[in-house]
Amino acid sequence: MSRLPYMPSYPDHGQPDWNLTGLVQALRTSREHTHKVRHRGRLRELPSRAVLQDILHGLACAMFPTHYGETDLTDESIDYFVGNTLNRTLNALRGQLRRGLLFLSDDDAWTSEALDAKAVEVTRHVADTLPEVRALLVSDLRAAFQGDPAAHSISEILLCYPGFLAITYYRLAHVLYAQGIPLLPRLMTEIAHSKTGIDIHPGATVGHSFFIDHGTGVVIGETTIIGNHVRIYQNVTLGAKRFPANEDGSLQKGAPRHPIVEDDVVIYAGATVLGRVTIGQGSTIGGNVWLTQSVPAKSSITQAQMCRD
């Protein structure tokens, strides 16, 4: 059945007159003419944050079915559950990718057939990488269990730790980001951000065995590179010190501007590391340190040292 066009409703007798007809028209004028902001001035078919939330949950269920899926799965039913979940989730991802691809700079060149073929190709790539992503996440789980004396089981980390949820969504979003897919990966990590208070840009590069303890207020910028066995705590910022600009004053996109954190580094709560600096392997950055210069391997930087400098 076809949908009727939207018609503004009018207030009942006794209710204030909101001038809905005039307001609707004024908003249409702003939306379509005066202050038009749609992509290329025309795109309406946006990706859905709600659908992407379901997709992220579905992929997490496929990788960890008894923790994020059904709690009463058996050896006989678990593979069916995973297969059914993947089929539903990958089809939804295909649809969202079709919408997200329209945000590529050359979206005018897409035909409907080409859009669908590319969406299928990228969806298949995401599916093929799930075992690899799960292996990375298992290394993150083990790092959390080994790095936090308050963790009593792997299940506790899966079910209770916001840092692990943020890393899970980041690792899935990073797969899409590496495929040159715009918008969708940002939506995915922003879903994690809203749930956990942890903001990891999908363009960041993060090695295995990564642990974010507590996590609230953590910010990891787009061009950050993090090695293996790195542990950070709440309110840590790995950010940019300055933003390179083009001759016309517009900011350069994608220029390396965030820190490089080498293997086996620990960064304690409240530390801020800015700019394209390198924290050498095995270093420890103390709480509330403000760092804008590189430090060699095995360094131990405290707030007192920074104040003396």
mmCIF file of all heavy atoms in Angstrom, residues 38-61:
data_model
loop_
_atom_site.group_PDB
_atom_site.id
_atom_site.type_symbol
_atom_site.label_atom_id
_atom_site.label_comp_id
_atom_site.label_asym_id
_atom_site.label_seq_id
_atom_site.Cartn_x
_atom_site.Cartn_y
_atom_site.Cartn_z
ATOM 1 N N ARG A 38 22.241 18.829 2.707
ATOM 2 C CA ARG A 38 22.308 17.429 2.308
ATOM 3 C C ARG A 38 23.499 17.185 1.400
ATOM 4 O O ARG A 38 23.898 18.036 0.611
ATOM 5 C CB ARG A 38 21.013 16.995 1.593
ATOM 6 C CG ARG A 38 19.855 16.769 2.530
ATOM 7 C CD ARG A 38 18.787 15.891 1.878
ATOM 8 N NE ARG A 38 18.315 16.442 0.632
ATOM 9 C CZ ARG A 38 17.328 17.318 0.532
ATOM 10 N NH1 ARG A 38 16.728 17.773 1.622
ATOM 11 N NH2 ARG A 38 16.938 17.764 -0.655
ATOM 12 N N HIS A 39 24.056 15.984 1.491
ATOM 13 C CA HIS A 39 25.209 15.601 0.684
ATOM 14 C C HIS A 39 24.918 15.798 -0.798
ATOM 15 O O HIS A 39 23.928 15.280 -1.323
ATOM 16 C CB HIS A 39 25.562 14.139 0.965
ATOM 17 C CG HIS A 39 26.789 13.660 0.243
ATOM 18 N ND1 HIS A 39 28.033 14.155 0.508
ATOM 19 C CD2 HIS A 39 26.936 12.739 -0.728
ATOM 20 C CE1 HIS A 39 28.912 13.550 -0.263
ATOM 21 N NE2 HIS A 39 28.274 12.687 -1.032
ATOM 22 N N ARG A 40 25.780 16.545 -1.464
ATOM 23 C CA ARG A 40 25.586 16.877 -2.883
ATOM 24 C C ARG A 40 24.255 17.577 -3.133
ATOM 25 O O ARG A 40 23.775 17.622 -4.258
ATOM 26 C CB ARG A 40 25.688 15.618 -3.756
ATOM 27 C CG ARG A 40 27.037 14.915 -3.698
ATOM 28 C CD ARG A 40 28.073 15.688 -4.502
ATOM 29 N NE ARG A 40 29.389 15.067 -4.416
ATOM 30 C CZ ARG A 40 29.970 14.437 -5.427
ATOM 31 N NH1 ARG A 40 29.351 14.321 -6.594
ATOM 32 N NH2 ARG A 40 31.181 13.933 -5.283
ATOM 33 N N GLY A 41 23.656 18.086 -2.053
ATOM 34 C CA GLY A 41 22.411 18.812 -2.204
ATOM 35 C C GLY A 41 21.191 17.971 -2.482
ATOM 36 O O GLY A 41 20.105 18.492 -2.727
ATOM 37 N N ARG A 42 21.339 16.624 -2.439
ATOM 38 C CA ARG A 42 20.212 15.807 -2.878
ATOM 39 C C ARG A 42 20.013 14.524 -2.078
ATOM 40 O O ARG A 42 18.932 13.964 -2.079
ATOM 41 C CB ARG A 42 20.398 15.421 -4.353
ATOM 42 C CG ARG A 42 21.704 14.711 -4.621
ATOM 43 C CD ARG A 42 21.838 14.280 -6.085
ATOM 44 N NE ARG A 42 23.155 13.746 -6.379
ATOM 45 C CZ ARG A 42 23.590 12.563 -5.999
ATOM 46 N NH1 ARG A 42 22.810 11.789 -5.284
ATOM 47 N NH2 ARG A 42 24.799 12.155 -6.315
ATOM 48 N N LEU A 43 21.062 14.027 -1.409
ATOM 49 C CA LEU A 43 20.989 12.681 -0.846
ATOM 50 C C LEU A 43 20.063 12.630 0.369
ATOM 51 O O LEU A 43 20.219 13.372 1.321
ATOM 52 C CB LEU A 43 22.396 12.203 -0.457
ATOM 53 C CG LEU A 43 22.499 10.760 0.007
ATOM 54 C CD1 LEU A 43 22.066 9.832 -1.117
ATOM 55 C CD2 LEU A 43 23.922 10.440 0.423
ATOM 56 N N ARG A 44 19.087 11.750 0.309
ATOM 57 C CA ARG A 44 18.166 11.553 1.424
ATOM 58 C C ARG A 44 18.350 10.187 2.093
ATOM 59 O O ARG A 44 17.990 10.016 3.246
ATOM 60 C CB ARG A 44 16.715 11.658 0.949
ATOM 61 C CG ARG A 44 16.294 13.044 0.472
ATOM 62 C CD ARG A 44 14.845 13.017 0.009
ATOM 63 N NE ARG A 44 14.419 14.269 -0.580
ATOM 64 C CZ ARG A 44 13.901 15.282 0.100
ATOM 65 N NH1 ARG A 44 13.761 15.179 1.402
ATOM 66 N NH2 ARG A 44 13.515 16.381 -0.518
ATOM 67 N N GLU A 45 18.857 9.206 1.374
ATOM 68 C CA GLU A 45 18.938 7.839 1.891
ATOM 69 C C GLU A 45 20.169 7.682 2.774
ATOM 70 O O GLU A 45 21.213 7.184 2.356
ATOM 71 C CB GLU A 45 18.979 6.843 0.733
ATOM 72 C CG GLU A 45 17.698 6.814 -0.081
ATOM 73 C CD GLU A 45 17.738 5.764 -1.172
ATOM 74 O OE1 GLU A 45 18.749 5.042 -1.270
ATOM 75 O OE2 GLU A 45 16.767 5.663 -1.922
ATOM 76 N N LEU A 46 20.046 8.118 4.013
ATOM 77 C CA LEU A 46 21.161 8.079 4.950
ATOM 78 C C LEU A 46 21.242 6.720 5.629
ATOM 79 O O LEU A 46 20.236 6.023 5.784
ATOM 80 C CB LEU A 46 20.986 9.167 6.006
ATOM 81 C CG LEU A 46 20.930 10.606 5.500
ATOM 82 C CD1 LEU A 46 20.614 11.549 6.645
ATOM 83 C CD2 LEU A 46 22.245 10.998 4.842
ATOM 84 N N PRO A 47 22.448 6.333 6.064
ATOM 85 C CA PRO A 47 22.552 5.138 6.906
ATOM 86 C C PRO A 47 21.777 5.338 8.208
ATOM 87 O O PRO A 47 21.593 6.460 8.672
ATOM 88 C CB PRO A 47 24.064 5.029 7.166
ATOM 89 C CG PRO A 47 24.706 5.806 6.069
ATOM 90 C CD PRO A 47 23.756 6.927 5.754
ATOM 91 N N SER A 48 21.349 4.246 8.793
ATOM 92 C CA SER A 48 20.553 4.290 10.010
ATOM 93 C C SER A 48 21.403 3.912 11.211
ATOM 94 O O SER A 48 21.969 2.813 11.272
ATOM 95 C CB SER A 48 19.364 3.324 9.904
ATOM 96 O OG SER A 48 18.784 3.106 11.165
ATOM 97 N N ARG A 49 21.480 4.802 12.175
ATOM 98 C CA ARG A 49 22.221 4.518 13.405
ATOM 99 C C ARG A 49 21.622 3.316 14.134
ATOM 100 O O ARG A 49 22.346 2.466 14.660
ATOM 101 C CB ARG A 49 22.208 5.760 14.296
ATOM 102 C CG ARG A 49 23.058 5.652 15.556
ATOM 103 C CD ARG A 49 22.883 6.907 16.391
ATOM 104 N NE ARG A 49 23.665 6.842 17.618
ATOM 105 C CZ ARG A 49 24.797 7.485 17.833
ATOM 106 N NH1 ARG A 49 25.299 8.252 16.874
ATOM 107 N NH2 ARG A 49 25.432 7.380 18.976
ATOM 108 N N ALA A 50 20.292 3.233 14.145
ATOM 109 C CA ALA A 50 19.629 2.121 14.836
ATOM 110 C C ALA A 50 19.952 0.791 14.167
ATOM 111 O O ALA A 50 20.227 -0.212 14.851
ATOM 112 C CB ALA A 50 18.119 2.347 14.863
ATOM 113 N N VAL A 51 19.949 0.754 12.844
ATOM 114 C CA VAL A 51 20.271 -0.487 12.136
ATOM 115 C C VAL A 51 21.737 -0.856 12.356
ATOM 116 O O VAL A 51 22.078 -2.029 12.554
ATOM 117 C CB VAL A 51 19.958 -0.353 10.633
ATOM 118 C CG1 VAL A 51 20.428 -1.588 9.867
ATOM 119 C CG2 VAL A 51 18.457 -0.157 10.430
ATOM 120 N N LEU A 52 22.617 0.131 12.340
ATOM 121 C CA LEU A 52 24.039 -0.145 12.573
ATOM 122 C C LEU A 52 24.270 -0.691 13.980
ATOM 123 O O LEU A 52 25.134 -1.547 14.187
ATOM 124 C CB LEU A 52 24.876 1.109 12.340
ATOM 125 C CG LEU A 52 25.079 1.486 10.877
ATOM 126 C CD1 LEU A 52 25.743 2.854 10.766
ATOM 127 C CD2 LEU A 52 25.930 0.436 10.154
ATOM 128 N N GLN A 53 23.505 -0.188 14.955
ATOM 129 C CA GLN A 53 23.592 -0.743 16.310
ATOM 130 C C GLN A 53 23.235 -2.228 16.302
ATOM 131 O O GLN A 53 23.927 -3.052 16.910
ATOM 132 C CB GLN A 53 22.652 0.022 17.236
ATOM 133 C CG GLN A 53 22.430 -0.614 18.591
ATOM 134 C CD GLN A 53 23.693 -0.657 19.419
ATOM 135 O OE1 GLN A 53 24.200 0.370 19.844
ATOM 136 N NE2 GLN A 53 24.222 -1.846 19.635
ATOM 137 N N ASP A 54 22.176 -2.589 15.582
ATOM 138 C CA ASP A 54 21.781 -3.997 15.481
ATOM 139 C C ASP A 54 22.866 -4.819 14.763
ATOM 140 O O ASP A 54 23.126 -5.973 15.126
ATOM 141 C CB ASP A 54 20.463 -4.125 14.725
ATOM 142 C CG ASP A 54 19.275 -3.594 15.518
ATOM 143 O OD1 ASP A 54 19.403 -3.461 16.752
ATOM 144 O OD2 ASP A 54 18.237 -3.304 14.892
ATOM 145 N N ILE A 55 23.490 -4.231 13.744
ATOM 146 C CA ILE A 55 24.546 -4.928 13.010
ATOM 147 C C ILE A 55 25.739 -5.199 13.911
ATOM 148 O O ILE A 55 26.283 -6.317 13.940
ATOM 149 C CB ILE A 55 24.964 -4.104 11.769
ATOM 150 C CG1 ILE A 55 23.855 -4.143 10.711
ATOM 151 C CG2 ILE A 55 26.278 -4.622 11.183
ATOM 152 C CD1 ILE A 55 24.042 -3.145 9.590
ATOM 153 N N LEU A 56 26.167 -4.199 14.662
ATOM 154 C CA LEU A 56 27.298 -4.386 15.578
ATOM 155 C C LEU A 56 26.978 -5.467 16.612
ATOM 156 O O LEU A 56 27.821 -6.322 16.909
ATOM 157 C CB LEU A 56 27.624 -3.064 16.276
ATOM 158 C CG LEU A 56 28.308 -2.006 15.406
ATOM 159 C CD1 LEU A 56 28.280 -0.648 16.103
ATOM 160 C CD2 LEU A 56 29.743 -2.413 15.099
ATOM 161 N N HIS A 57 25.767 -5.426 17.144
ATOM 162 C CA HIS A 57 25.377 -6.451 18.115
ATOM 163 C C HIS A 57 25.350 -7.824 17.462
ATOM 164 O O HIS A 57 25.809 -8.819 18.056
ATOM 165 C CB HIS A 57 24.018 -6.110 18.709
ATOM 166 C CG HIS A 57 23.543 -7.105 19.722
ATOM 167 N ND1 HIS A 57 24.160 -7.284 20.945
ATOM 168 C CD2 HIS A 57 22.516 -8.002 19.673
ATOM 169 C CE1 HIS A 57 23.533 -8.241 21.612
ATOM 170 N NE2 HIS A 57 22.541 -8.688 20.864
ATOM 171 N N GLY A 58 24.838 -7.901 16.237
ATOM 172 C CA GLY A 58 24.775 -9.183 15.542
ATOM 173 C C GLY A 58 26.157 -9.763 15.271
ATOM 174 O O GLY A 58 26.382 -10.969 15.458
ATOM 175 N N LEU A 59 27.100 -8.917 14.851
ATOM 176 C CA LEU A 59 28.460 -9.401 14.610
ATOM 177 C C LEU A 59 29.131 -9.836 15.913
ATOM 178 O O LEU A 59 29.857 -10.836 15.950
ATOM 179 C CB LEU A 59 29.284 -8.317 13.916
ATOM 180 C CG LEU A 59 28.830 -7.947 12.497
ATOM 181 C CD1 LEU A 59 29.648 -6.786 11.960
ATOM 182 C CD2 LEU A 59 28.924 -9.150 11.561
ATOM 183 N N ALA A 60 28.879 -9.088 16.991
ATOM 184 C CA ALA A 60 29.413 -9.489 18.296
ATOM 185 C C ALA A 60 28.811 -10.824 18.736
ATOM 186 O O ALA A 60 29.511 -11.690 19.283
ATOM 187 C CB ALA A 60 29.129 -8.405 19.331
ATOM 188 N N CYS A 61 27.518 -11.008 18.484
ATOM 189 C CA CYS A 61 26.868 -12.282 18.811
ATOM 190 C C CYS A 61 27.477 -13.433 18.025
ATOM 191 O O CYS A 61 27.643 -14.549 18.552
ATOM 192 C CB CYS A 61 25.371 -12.207 18.502
ATOM 193 S SG CYS A 61 24.406 -11.236 19.667
#
